[in-house]
Structures are given as structure tokens and as C-alpha cells.
Amino acid sequence: KNLYKEVDDLSSKLSEIELKKGFVANTDNSRTYNLKEIDELAKSIRNERTKLKIAIEPFLKDEETKKILGDLNQSIANDKKSLLDIDNLIKKITKSKQQLVDTKKQIFDLYESNYKEYEKVIDLLKSRTSDLEKDGLSIIGKILFNYPKLRKCLMDISDGRSASYSRYSILENNRKSSDDCEYSLIFEDIKKIFDDILSKEYGLTSRTTIPNAIKTILDDYFFDFWEIKYKNDKLGEMSTGKASFVILMLIIGLSKSKAPFLIDQPEDNLDNRSITTDLVNYLRNKKIERQIIIVTHNANIVVNADSENVIVANQKGQNNEKSSSSFKFDYINGPIENSFDKLESETDVLKSMGIRQHIADIVEGGKDAFMMRERKYRFN
């Protein structure tokens, strides 16, 4: 620092001499010029300054080096911090990417497990549906995919100008929900649409957000379809009565409960031949396994199904018949074997004849009507 000060002082003196160069002041205020002395003095000062500069040059260089090194060290420290920040950012990005990969895998694992649930349902019911085959009923379960529904849902959120949906086979316009379910094709196309939506390659309408679009494609478009046949007739092609009978078979056959069944007029919309050959035989077989209670007006069901207990109901005042019963609705029950002709002295309608006679009276139109039909048919 002292050297610097000396150099500065010499420089100041030299500057002053330079200003005064060419004249000196006399006592009478006149000026006398002594150029030679002034030049020599100035030269001496310059030489001294040069020597001093040479002497302090290493120190100056050392200070500059220190400053440069300080700047470099600060720059290195800043770069290290930046590199650390970049490294942390890369780690976060890598972690986020891995989380995205893991999340996507979880999503499609769930998608696949959802499909497998349908397979489980069909497999679980196979053992139960196979039991129905002995009754002539077959049920074949399969998984289908609602292609039209998916297409419509995606069309509602797709930008029609880009027509992105045209790139995927599962969105072809000719596909129907009754078509076979090609799971591998569906799975790959759903994943591709998923990726294209995330990368914005799939054109969406301006009002549709990416999360909503993802929800749309990941919705459950699978469904289980059961093809039901009875004696090679498909359920959808049967008459109303026969279809009702087949549904009754399904309800009874698939139920695991041991509670009694209550059935109201199963003969509705069935012709008497179907009642006798199908319904009656079925009821005779099933009543061994479970108690069946039937409300009916059909004689074939009451008689030919071998009813163990027949309940006859009467509403007081109906059919202009008078009854001494004190109840508006009255009942009597017993087996078909309970038989005796009408007792004219009995004023209670239900007690006036046997169960067999009640059956003939109610479902056959009476004994006379039954005998008349028998004579008409001339089966004997």
C-alpha cells in the first residue's frame, strides 16, 4: 500500500511540473525559463516512477491473480450449486417419470383385473348352470364389449376436424356390442388412446379436459352375456309364455335357498300341451328338492303335478253362492284324495264337498262339464 502511495505522489508531482514546464517565477514576479533543469527533474521523476512500477508489478499481478482466483472460485461455487440444483431436478423428473410409469401400470392392472372379474363370474356360475342341463336348459356365459357405447362417448369429446378416432380398430363404425370380445385388441387400443390423449396427439374438443377424457376411455364397457336355450330354442325367440317358464326354471335352478317357492299362475301365456309336457313335469321333479306353493286355475298343474296339499279359497258373495261362513275370505285344504260329493245340507260352501270335487268344480267347470268334454273327446 505504501508503494502505491509513493507512485501516486510522484505522479501528482510530475503532473504539476508538466503544467509549470517552461517557466519559473522571480522575486519581482517576472518569469525566467530554465527548461533544462525542469526537463532533468521531470526525467528523474519519470525514471523513479518507472522503477517503482517495475518494483510493484509482481505485487499488482499477485493481487489480480487473487481477484481472478476469487472470481473463479465464486463462479465454481455458483456452478456447483447450479449443478446440484440440476441434479436434484433431474432426480425429481426421473422420480416423476417413474411414478407416471408405475401409475399407468397400476391403472391398466386394474383395467385387466376388472376384465378378469367377469371371467370369474362366468366360471363360478358354470358349475351351477351345468346342473340345469338335465332339465333341457343350457346357459352359456361370455364376455362382450360395448363397442358402440365407447365410440359414442369418444365421439362426444373428440375434435371432429382431426378425426383422431379413425386410427383405432375398436372404434370402427361397423363394430356391434354383440361381436366377439377380442380382449388383447381392446387392451392395446385402449392403452394407445390413453397415451395419445396424454401426449395430446388425440384431438379433443376445447371443453374436454385430459382427466375427463381418460375417465371416458377407462370406463367399464365390458358386460357379461348369457345365451339361454331350452331344447335348442333361444330365449329371445320364444313366446312370452315359454320364455316365462324358462325364466322360472332359471330362478328355481340357480337359487341356493331352501325356502319355499311361491309362484303365481305359472300357466299364463302357456298352451296346455306345454303346461303338461314341460311345466308339470318340471314341478314334479323340483318339488322333491323344495316346497313349491302355486296359485293356479289350471287343472293340469293341480292334478298332474301330484299336489300333496290343495288349498281352496272362497270369497263370500262371489258367484251368487250363499255360505254360512263368518269370514269374507275363507279357506279349506287337504289332499286330492279327500273326496265326497256335495252335501246339500251343508250351508258352508267350502265344507259342502271334498277337495277333489272342489278342484273339478273350480278348474274344470264342474263334474258335468268334465264328463261332457270326456264324451266329446271319446278317448274310450
Side-chain angles (χ1 to χ4, degrees):
K1 289 182 180 179
N2 292 332
L3 287 173
Y4 295 155
K5 186 175 184 307
E6 289 182 23
V7 172
D8 291 339
D9 291 343
L10 287 172
S11 296
S12 297
K13 289 179 181 179
L14 182 60
S15 297
E16 290 177 9
I17 291 169
E18 290 288 347
L19 290 172
K20 296 176 181 179
K21 184 179 178 180
F23 67 89
V24 292
N26 296 320
T27 54
D28 57 357
N29 292 326
S30 62
R31 294 181 178 179
T32 303
Y33 292 92
N34 191 350
L35 296 177
K36 185 176 180 181
E37 289 182 6
I38 292 172
D39 284 338
E40 286 179 357
L41 180 59
K43 184 178 179 181
S44 173
I45 291 171
R46 286 194 192 94
N47 290 338
E48 190 66 26
R49 187 177 67 175
T50 301
K51 289 178 183 179
L52 286 171
K53 280 186 176 181
I54 292 170
I56 67 171
E57 189 172 353
F59 297 99
L60 290 173
K61 287 183 178 179
D62 191 47
E63 288 296 319
E64 288 176 2
T65 302
K66 284 182 180 179
K67 186 176 183 304
I68 291 170
L69 286 174
D71 292 342
L72 284 174
N73 286 332
Q74 184 61 45
S75 177
I76 290 170
N78 292 338
D79 289 345
K80 281 183 178 179
K81 185 178 181 302
S82 298
L83 286 172
L84 184 62
D85 291 341
I86 291 170
D87 188 51
N88 289 333
L89 183 60
I90 290 172
K91 286 179 180 178
K92 286 181 181 179
I93 292 171
T94 303
K95 185 179 179 181
S96 297
K97 284 183 176 179
Q98 188 58 47
Q99 286 176 340
L100 285 174
V101 171
D102 294 341
T103 302
K104 181 183 174 182
K105 184 178 183 304
Q106 290 174 359
I107 288 171
F108 284 101
D109 283 348
L110 287 171
Y111 190 87
E112 191 163 8
S113 68
N114 177 62
Y115 176 79
K116 290 185 181 298
E117 285 299 316
Y118 285 97
E119 290 183 324
K120 287 179 184 177
V121 169
I122 290 173
D123 287 338
L124 285 171
L125 287 175
K126 272 182 182 177
S127 59
R128 292 168 65 185
T129 56
S130 61
D131 293 339
L132 301 175
E133 292 177 4
K134 63 179 181 292
D135 298 317
L137 189 65
S138 70
I139 305 177
I140 301 172
K142 55 184 176 180
I143 305 169
L144 295 180
F145 188 81
N146 198 334
Y147 295 102
K149 182 181 178 183
L150 172 64
R151 178 179 170 80
K152 182 183 181 304
C153 290
L154 274 179
M155 289 286 285
D156 289 343
I157 63 172
S158 300
D159 183 357
R161 292 169 297 180
S162 61
S164 304
Y165 44 81
S166 61
R167 301 197 295 262
Y168 315 98
S169 60
I170 63 170
L171 299 179
E172 291 172 356
N173 202 29
N174 60 344
R175 288 189 177 272
K176 303 184 291 293
S177 56
S178 57
D179 291 347
D180 289 337
C181 176
E182 303 173 61
Y183 177 71
S184 58
L185 171 67
I186 293 168
F187 190 67
E188 290 305 317
D189 266 10
I190 290 292
K191 284 201 294 186
K192 192 171 188 309
I193 297 171
F194 180 94
D195 290 336
D196 288 349
I197 288 175
L198 288 182
S199 64
K200 298 185 179 179
E201 289 185 26
Y202 189 100
L204 300 172
T205 60
S206 58
R207 68 178 184 276
T208 304
T209 63
I210 288 177
N212 284 337
I214 294 297
K215 286 179 183 178
T216 298
I217 66 164
L218 293 179
D219 200 0
D220 186 8
Y221 298 97
F222 294 104
F223 63 97
D224 52 318
F225 177 80
W226 301 88
E227 186 179 70
I228 302 171
K229 290 183 180 180
Y230 178 64
K231 296 181 178 179
N232 294 322
D233 288 339
K234 292 183 179 179
L235 181 64
E237 299 171 359
M238 296 177 186
S239 66
T240 304
K242 193 170 184 180
S244 299
F245 167 57
V246 170
I247 292 171
L248 173 64
M249 293 175 69
L250 288 173
I251 294 171
I252 296 176
L254 293 176
S255 174
K256 289 185 175 181
S257 173
K258 295 300 179 183
F261 260 113
L262 179 59
I263 308 170
D264 185 18
Q265 295 186 204
E267 72 272 14
D268 283 357
N269 299 312
L270 272 178
D271 60 89
N272 274 320
R273 182 171 60 181
S274 296
I275 292 171
T276 303
T277 58
D278 293 326
L279 180 59
V280 167
N281 287 334
Y282 182 74
L283 293 173
R284 289 177 69 176
N285 292 328
K286 287 300 172 184
K287 72 176 186 175
I288 299 171
E289 301 170 9
R290 291 178 70 172
Q291 183 182 20
I292 300 176
I293 302 170
I294 298 175
V295 179
T296 183
H297 295 91
N298 189 281
N300 287 310
I301 294 176
V302 179
V303 178
N304 295 338
D306 290 339
S307 303
E308 277 82 11
N309 187 26
V310 178
I311 302 171
V312 182
N314 182 63
Q315 181 180 350
K316 195 172 184 178
Q318 288 288 309
N319 302 321
N320 296 319
E321 288 193 21
K322 294 181 180 180
S323 177
S324 60
S325 173
S326 58
F327 302 101
K328 183 175 182 180
F329 294 96
D330 205 359
Y331 305 88
I332 192 171
N333 70 289
I336 296 176
E337 291 76 16
N338 181 302
S339 175
F340 58 89
D341 290 333
K342 186 172 183 179
L343 302 173
E344 298 297 336
S345 59
E346 179 59 62
T347 57
D348 189 325
V349 173
L350 291 179
K351 296 177 181 178
S352 66
M353 65 182 78
I355 296 296
R356 183 183 296 176
Q357 283 70 26
H358 275 300
I359 294 171
D361 188 51
I362 295 171
V363 299
E364 297 285 5
K367 182 178 178 180
D368 292 340
F370 177 79
M371 297 300 291
M372 185 180 294
R373 284 198 302 277
E374 185 180 38
R375 287 195 298 271
K376 290 277 187 181
Y377 290 134
R378 296 180 181 178
F379 289 136
N380 293 330

